[in-house]
Amino acid sequence: MLNRRHIRVKVMQSIYAMHQNHSDQIESQEKFLYNSIDNIQDLYLIMISSLIEIQKRENIFLNISSQKHLATPEERNPNKKFVNNIILQRLAESNSLSIALESRKINNWDLNDDYIQILLSAMKETKLYDDYMQNNKNTFEEDKAFVIAVFMEIITPNEKLYDYLEDHKLTWIDDIPLVNTQIIKELKAIKANAQDDFRISKLYKDTEDKEFASNLFRKTVLNEAEFAKEYVDKTPNWDTERIAELDTIVIKMAICEFLKFPSIPIKVTINEYLEVVKEYSTPKSSIFINGILDNLVKEFQANNKLSKVGRGLM
């Protein structure tokens, strides 16, 4: 689920928090970093389980309505196309998903079921839902397209849900797009073969990515003073004291990758951090940082300070 750019963002934010708190407690801040990353899995489970909970809520409503003393013919024999949706049933029956929800104690919708009702009501008010419910026959392709559309058009843009997630855990603000994109990708990948159990994503692609997060954080923090000396005289037209603090952190992280991570190509490092500052720093930051990093690379190459392993890494 996690990509390297998002790991870089998490490391950047942890170092920034460390600066703001004037802390030198590497272990405690590293713990915060890992917790922040680990909590992405909870966000993922909360978002994907919202689909299951909406289905459950509607099924309960239909059952209660059918048992009313003065139930209408439509209430006694409702259209159950939505609650019988093949994809939603696949999610509800997934061992991988149910085990993860239980092991991580994800009970947000039990405690805040009003949000499920908000999402269900919003769905039932759309033309998307009306068109889907024109008949009571379930087909795999139609059910799959409908669930993807519900997630993309109703759940992810819901402002009340976004506010709830933001209030619940502030670090999720930057994680929501990553998680939603991953869930949409997984929903699209579900195959018609009923034997295929839906399996949740791993947080890290591999152990190297997890180690990358820790190594980037520690190597940057432990060498900040050394890295600052590398660029301090490369900013003649900029007052060092007035450079945005996020920019100085990004520059140090990039220098760290240049000098301490031999397997990461120089172009990858530069491109990744330019994209990060475009989103998180000032409008002029990417131009400024691009110039600094370009000059640093030329100097490092001239002084044989770069040691990159593998073809095409320079």
Side-chain angles (χ1 to χ4, degrees):
M1 182 190 302
L2 275 175
N3 54 50
R4 286 284 178 104
R5 183 179 301 170
H6 205 72
I7 291 174
R8 289 178 171 97
V9 168
K10 287 295 185 181
V11 171
M12 176 192 73
Q13 291 172 335
S14 294
I15 296 175
Y16 181 78
M18 199 171 179
H19 286 190
Q20 293 298 299
N21 296 329
H22 304 288
S23 171
D24 59 359
Q25 301 298 312
I26 295 179
E27 287 78 12
S28 62
Q29 196 59 45
E30 186 178 38
K31 184 178 179 181
F32 171 82
L33 167 64
Y34 272 130
N35 285 339
S36 176
I37 293 176
D38 191 55
N39 285 330
I40 296 174
Q41 189 76 7
D42 290 348
L43 174 61
Y44 165 86
L45 292 170
I46 288 169
M47 290 301 294
I48 198 164
S49 65
S50 68
L51 289 166
I52 301 171
E53 295 302 321
I54 292 170
Q55 179 202 38
K56 285 181 181 178
R57 173 60 68 91
E58 178 64 3
N59 198 34
I60 291 171
F61 170 75
L62 294 179
N63 288 334
I64 292 174
S65 297
S66 68
Q67 295 172 19
K68 290 193 305 185
H69 178 62
L70 298 176
T72 65
E74 184 180 47
E75 288 173 329
R76 289 197 182 93
N77 187 29
N79 182 350
K80 291 191 173 184
K81 183 172 182 176
F82 173 66
V83 297
N84 290 334
N85 182 285
I86 297 168
I87 303 301
L88 296 180
Q89 289 186 341
R90 191 84 64 87
L91 293 177
E93 295 168 0
S94 166
N95 289 328
S96 173
L97 183 52
S98 61
I99 290 171
L101 289 168
E102 183 176 350
S103 64
R104 296 190 70 88
K105 298 179 173 60
I106 303 300
N107 61 351
N108 296 65
W109 302 135
D110 293 334
L111 302 175
N112 302 278
D113 62 342
D114 49 323
Y115 289 97
I116 295 301
Q117 185 59 52
I118 288 171
L119 295 174
L120 176 60
S121 297
M123 180 191 73
K124 294 175 76 171
E125 291 172 0
T126 63
K127 184 176 184 298
L128 172 70
Y129 179 78
D130 288 341
D131 290 344
Y132 175 72
M133 299 295 287
Q134 287 298 311
N135 60 66
N136 58 7
K137 295 180 180 178
N138 290 92
T139 64
F140 178 83
E141 291 301 331
E142 185 185 20
D143 284 3
K144 178 178 173 179
F146 177 73
V147 170
I148 293 170
V150 166
F151 191 80
M152 292 177 64
E153 300 174 22
I154 297 167
I155 295 178
T156 60
N158 188 279
E159 292 183 4
K160 291 182 179 179
L161 176 61
Y162 183 90
D163 290 343
Y164 163 72
L165 295 172
E166 183 180 0
D167 291 342
H168 188 71
K169 203 171 293 293
L170 189 60
T171 57
W172 281 349
I173 295 175
D174 297 307
D175 304 328
I176 292 172
L178 174 80
V179 166
N180 289 341
T181 299
Q182 179 65 30
I183 291 174
I184 292 168
K185 179 181 177 182
E186 291 177 359
L187 291 174
K188 289 180 177 179
I190 296 176
K191 304 298 182 184
N193 186 348
Q195 301 302 315
D196 289 341
D197 184 28
F198 177 84
R199 302 192 63 81
I200 67 169
S201 293
K202 295 187 298 182
L203 184 56
Y204 294 96
K205 182 180 68 175
D206 49 39
T207 56
E208 288 184 10
D209 275 0
K210 186 172 184 178
E211 291 171 356
F212 173 69
S214 177
N215 289 336
L216 181 60
F217 173 77
R218 281 187 165 269
K219 289 180 180 181
T220 300
V221 171
L222 292 173
N223 294 282
E224 278 199 87
E226 175 190 336
F227 295 155
K229 294 176 183 178
E230 299 286 359
Y231 70 83
V232 70
D233 60 344
K234 305 293 190 304
T235 58
N237 299 322
W238 297 76
D239 183 349
T240 306
E241 296 299 319
R242 297 181 65 186
I243 299 174
E245 187 166 8
L246 272 180
D247 292 354
T248 65
I249 292 172
V250 166
I251 293 170
K252 291 170 187 174
M253 290 173 66
I255 294 173
C256 183
E257 288 192 27
F258 290 156
L259 302 179
K260 308 290 185 179
F261 289 80
S263 64
I264 300 178
I266 290 171
K267 288 183 179 179
V268 169
T269 293
I270 294 176
N271 290 339
E272 288 287 274
Y273 285 114
L274 290 181
E275 291 301 317
V276 169
V277 294
K278 284 178 184 177
E279 184 171 356
Y280 291 94
S281 197
T282 67
K284 295 182 179 179
S285 291
S286 61
I287 298 173
F288 165 68
I289 290 177
N290 188 42
I292 295 295
L293 297 183
D294 187 55
N295 288 333
L296 283 171
V297 168
K298 290 176 181 177
E299 182 177 296
F300 290 159
Q301 289 174 332
N303 296 330
N304 294 318
K305 293 183 72 173
L306 292 176
S307 178
K308 295 294 183 179
V309 179
R311 295 180 60 185
L313 296 184
M314 301 295 286

